[in-house]
Amino acid sequence: MLASLKGKSVIVTGGSQGIGLGISLAFARAGAFVTIAARGEEAGANAVEEIALAGGAGQFLQCDVTQWQAVKAIVDETANENGLDIICANAGIFPKQTIEEMEPEQWDHVLDTNLRSSFYCVKAALPHMKEAGQGRIILTSSITGPITGDAGWSHYAASKAGQLGFMRTAALELAPHKITVNSVLPGNIRTEALDDLGDAYLKKMGQTIPLGRLGAPQDVASAVLFLASEEAGYITGQQIVVDGGQVLPEGLEAPD
């Protein structure tokens, strides 16, 4: 456990399920107060209950991350009531659609949810973190886009690669205010959304990962907690790949 996280105030967008829930629970166990920002009220309430059962403290604020005023409102409310030390721009979607089949509106929806929302989170958090003289911002990107490609996910790949370009410039602009901006790049992490892709997909992907298994949300959360800690205070504009070695093999054969 990173002792420096105790008592910190954290916002996790998309924090009610999947990787986001794993991040939320990890922060709560480390002693932080967690604000979960997500659309679904039921999932949000369930996540806060899980945090309480884990011995942590938190709240749910309903938010559509594609809307600037909605993001600004939950960031302002959290900062005014609890302060704001860390924000995790984690919310994301990955509907499968080939370029040929994709409508422009579908492209826009993925870019708005995954990339535009990262800008909104940073912009909304900036005045509060500047006033505090410090802050940690962590983006949840992906290996898809920055490192790999996959048929059916051109919009997702573009959004995740875009996050890293945004991250580097944001890190430069915010560094004078002692605010760091970093990113985690998960590989195939076993979540509800990944389960929807079917057992055949999960088995195939698991066989191609050198460490022999799909990742768990906690695997990503551990990297996020490090980047959010005081111990990572001299790291900014960087990315950590959390994929069990998935991108390492040169060939298509699964490792022995």
Side-chain angles (χ1 to χ4, degrees):
M1 178 184 295
L2 297 166
S4 61
L5 294 173
K6 188 173 179 63
K8 300 293 186 180
S9 174
V10 185
I11 295 174
V12 183
T13 67
S16 62
Q17 56 187 348
I19 291 173
L21 179 57
I23 293 170
S24 298
L25 289 170
F27 272 118
R29 294 187 182 106
F33 181 85
V34 183
T35 297
I36 293 172
R39 287 180 296 185
E41 291 188 44
E42 183 177 354
N46 291 339
V48 172
E49 185 176 342
E50 285 195 55
I51 285 174
L53 291 173
Q59 64 178 347
F60 166 69
L61 296 179
Q62 191 172 31
C63 179
D64 179 352
V65 296
T66 69
Q67 302 299 313
W68 161 241
Q69 290 300 332
V71 175
K72 185 178 185 300
I74 64 103
V75 170
D76 288 349
E77 180 177 342
T78 300
N80 292 337
E81 293 184 0
N82 303 296
L84 178 61
D85 301 292
I86 302 153
I87 187 165
C88 299
N90 168 81
I93 56 173
F94 52 99
K96 189 173 184 179
Q97 198 82 44
T98 66
I99 295 171
E100 184 176 14
E101 298 168 337
M102 190 184 305
E103 296 297 332
E105 293 79 10
Q106 294 170 311
W107 171 276
D108 289 344
H109 182 53
V110 171
L111 270 290
D112 286 350
T113 304
N114 298 359
L115 179 55
R116 186 187 295 267
S117 67
S118 296
F119 161 67
Y120 287 165
C121 287
V122 172
K123 184 172 178 62
L126 179 54
H128 301 289
M129 291 183 172
K130 279 181 64 175
E131 183 177 358
Q134 62 84 35
R136 298 282 185 271
I137 298 170
I138 301 99
L139 312 180
T140 301
S141 181
S142 174
I143 62 171
T144 305
I147 303 175
T148 68
D150 203 350
W153 282 289
S154 62
H155 45 8
Y156 177 79
S159 70
K160 294 302 177 178
Q163 282 183 306
L164 297 190
F166 170 68
M167 172 196 73
R168 294 184 183 102
T169 296
L172 285 171
E173 291 186 12
L174 275 58
H177 308 293
K178 303 298 183 290
I179 303 167
T180 65
V181 188
N182 294 291
S183 180
V184 290
L185 279 63
N188 276 272
I189 307 299
R190 187 73 184 262
T191 63
E192 307 94 324
L194 202 65
D195 285 342
D196 291 341
L197 298 177
D199 291 338
Y201 178 87
L202 298 178
K203 182 178 180 180
K204 174 185 174 183
M205 294 312 301
Q207 289 173 341
T208 64
I209 296 173
L211 286 181
R213 66 173 177 86
L214 295 171
Q218 181 59 47
D219 295 317
V220 182
S222 295
V224 171
L225 261 63
F226 168 66
L227 292 173
S229 70
E230 292 178 10
E231 290 85 344
Y234 200 57
I235 300 172
T236 194
Q238 302 303 312
Q239 58 200 56
I240 297 180
V241 175
V242 185
D243 73 342
Q246 182 177 342
V247 300
L248 295 176
E250 291 186 17
L252 298 177
E253 293 183 5
D256 293 332

